[in-house]
Amino acid sequence: MTEDNIRRLWTNDELDEALNSLRAEELTDQRPLAAANNALLNAVRSLDGTNTRVPGTTPLIEFKGKPASPTGRRWWISVAAAAVIAVCATTAIIGADHGDPSLPSQVAAPGVKFVSVQQALNTAADKIHVTGETPLPAGKFRYVATHTWLLWNDSRIPAAFSGEQLTQTWQPSDFDGQWLLRTAPTGNRKWLIGNEKTLRAATEQIEKNHDADLNAYWPSGEWRATSGKFPAKAMALVGRSDDEWGAPTKRQLAELPRDPQQLYDLMAADLSVVNKPKLGGVLDIATRLLKTGAVPADLEESLYRAVAKIPGLKVTEQVANLDGRTGVALGVDPVDGTFRMEIIVDPATGEFIGERRTQLKPEENDITVAGIKPGTVTFSSSVRTAVADEQGAVPPGQ
């Protein structure tokens, strides 16, 4: 090293301070920071092709169980290397633990752009691999809340709106125990054409009913079933399939391949993909599985890596907002180009946030989207998970 290219070295304390300033609110322990430091030192050591310890440092710490105290560690890194690890940390290492619903979802740091779906999904998969999942305690219930926005439209009526449906599932710690499914409209609406008065007047005229119940268009109900095998009618009402993708058993989840290529091939061979490719293909299959909230961490990791293999899949929005939560939107356009289907994932946490569908071109022959302008989101669903103490009870903050 010559005097011309000497770079100031940072101490470990200076690095700690820099990384803490990036996301101070999320650093509840030292494990993410230690992981960043360890990864950086490994990279520094590999520069000359050796595994020699960096002078003046102590050995790397591999955390098992409780994190070791960082007291007394004194590692040195260059400013250039610190910049690299800081970017990596904001997108892949530092964040809320996967499966802990009490922690807020975080979007990738401003200025960090994912140049490909492979980068975004592999980053999310890496995060899941590192953090794993939070086990469901015995006697507790995994609470999955899905807020779905559905389009209501009728070419006979000069009104259209997107209405919100809340679907809740309580999965017992014993997967084969009794599950609870509940769904009902929230009453929230986003008007796309006309307003409530326009809709009521036209509906009453068509139905010859002077007291039209507009909520009759939206399903509601409650069902209980062992192993989550709810009736096909109930699943259809909440917009889910009752097959191995939309309502998998514990055994089916265990038997699905963890190899990304094998998993992709299995989804691509599904009859719903082969016979109706315009409905979303492999991305639709993967979404059905993800939004159950019952996918174990190792399968979710493989699922992201499998989705990254979908031809034509692209990053459609770097910072997508779905019901107040943000992530990277990844989408694919069906062959007929009528709509775009997207999933939204937070790469910093590995969390699946939800899905959405956007109309790309007018379809006057379809009364469900007639008159809807291109670029309108006609369907979306956001998913949140938490742990409930009792079946039927909503966890605090949900």
Side-chain angles (χ1 to χ4, degrees):
M1 180 178 291
T2 67
E3 293 182 357
D4 293 332
N5 63 3
I6 292 177
R7 299 174 181 175
R8 185 178 72 82
L9 299 179
W10 282 14
T11 67
N12 188 70
D13 290 341
E14 289 174 322
L15 176 60
D16 287 359
E17 181 179 356
L19 289 178
N20 270 287
S21 67
L22 289 172
R23 289 192 175 181
E25 73 280 4
E26 293 177 27
L27 294 179
T28 57
D29 61 43
Q30 293 296 317
R31 283 171 291 184
L33 180 58
N37 281 332
N38 288 354
L40 178 59
L41 279 180
N42 283 331
V44 171
R45 293 175 186 178
S46 66
L47 290 177
D48 59 358
T50 68
N51 194 33
T52 305
R53 192 172 58 186
V54 177
T57 69
T58 56
L60 293 183
I61 296 173
E62 179 181 0
F63 286 110
K64 293 182 179 180
K66 294 183 179 180
S69 170
T71 304
R73 286 186 287 119
R74 186 62 59 182
W75 300 340
W76 302 86
I77 62 175
S78 72
V79 173
V84 173
I85 199 63
V87 173
C88 293
T90 59
T91 58
I93 297 175
I94 299 176
D97 283 350
H98 175 69
D100 186 347
S102 66
L103 296 175
S105 172
Q106 297 293 331
V107 73
V112 177
K113 302 296 183 182
F114 293 96
V115 297
S116 68
V117 293
Q118 288 79 13
Q119 183 189 33
L121 288 169
N122 284 335
T123 299
D126 289 342
K127 179 62 182 180
I128 294 174
H129 179 76
V130 171
T131 60
E133 61 186 309
T134 302
L136 185 61
K140 303 292 185 179
F141 300 84
R142 190 179 310 284
Y143 172 77
V144 181
T146 304
H147 288 262
T148 303
W149 288 88
L150 300 164
L151 175 67
W152 187 94
N153 194 22
D154 188 328
S155 59
R156 302 171 299 170
I157 300 175
F161 66 90
S162 183
E164 185 184 35
Q165 185 86 8
L166 174 60
T167 299
Q168 301 163 295
T169 304
W170 286 265
Q171 171 203 332
S173 55
D174 175 9
F175 195 100
D176 294 325
Q178 187 180 72
W179 294 42
L180 171 63
L181 173 66
R182 183 182 294 163
T183 188
T186 66
N188 295 328
R189 292 173 182 167
K190 300 175 183 177
W191 288 95
L192 304 175
I193 301 174
N195 52 43
E196 186 104 12
K197 183 177 180 180
T198 305
L199 175 60
R200 183 174 295 278
T203 302
E204 291 177 350
Q205 182 177 2
I206 292 174
E207 298 181 356
K208 307 301 180 183
N209 182 353
H210 296 291
D211 190 22
D213 181 9
L214 300 182
N215 287 324
Y217 294 109
W218 305 93
S220 62
E222 182 176 298
W223 301 266
R224 297 178 185 273
T226 57
S227 304
K229 300 305 292 183
F230 298 103
K233 179 181 179 181
M235 297 298 282
L237 285 177
V238 300
R240 288 171 53 186
S241 61
D242 63 338
D243 58 12
E244 67 272 23
W245 303 112
T249 64
K250 184 178 182 179
R251 180 177 179 178
Q252 288 171 332
L253 288 171
E255 292 179 346
L256 283 172
R258 267 50 174 178
D259 177 78
Q261 187 61 56
Q262 293 179 10
L263 184 56
Y264 174 84
D265 292 341
L266 183 64
M267 292 188 289
D270 190 84
L271 290 179
S272 65
V273 176
V274 175
N275 296 334
K276 299 179 180 180
K278 66 173 291 184
L279 295 183
V282 171
L283 187 61
D284 177 61
I285 293 284
T287 303
R288 280 192 254 167
L289 195 54
L290 285 167
K291 67 183 182 181
T292 64
V295 180
D298 63 335
L299 178 56
E300 189 170 357
E301 176 191 347
S302 299
L303 200 57
Y304 283 152
R305 300 192 198 280
V307 166
K309 299 179 181 295
I310 297 176
L313 188 68
K314 56 189 176 183
V315 175
T316 52
E317 191 174 353
Q318 294 285 349
V319 182
N321 188 306
L322 189 61
D323 280 356
R325 308 170 73 200
T326 51
V328 176
L330 310 164
V332 62
D333 300 348
V335 291
D336 63 357
T338 54
F339 64 88
R340 173 179 296 126
M341 181 178 181
E342 299 165 297
I343 63 170
I344 299 176
V345 176
D346 184 348
T349 64
E351 187 178 16
F352 169 73
I353 295 176
E355 61 181 316
R356 67 184 181 187
R357 185 168 297 182
T358 303
Q359 193 69 24
L360 297 180
K361 66 180 184 181
E363 283 192 276
E364 297 303 329
N365 293 329
D366 185 346
I367 65 171
T368 62
V369 292
I372 299 300
K373 296 180 180 179
T376 300
V377 175
T378 57
F379 171 86
S380 70
S381 68
S382 62
V383 180
R384 295 179 184 269
T385 61
V387 175
D389 292 330
E390 299 178 7
Q391 195 168 65
V394 178
Q398 298 299 309

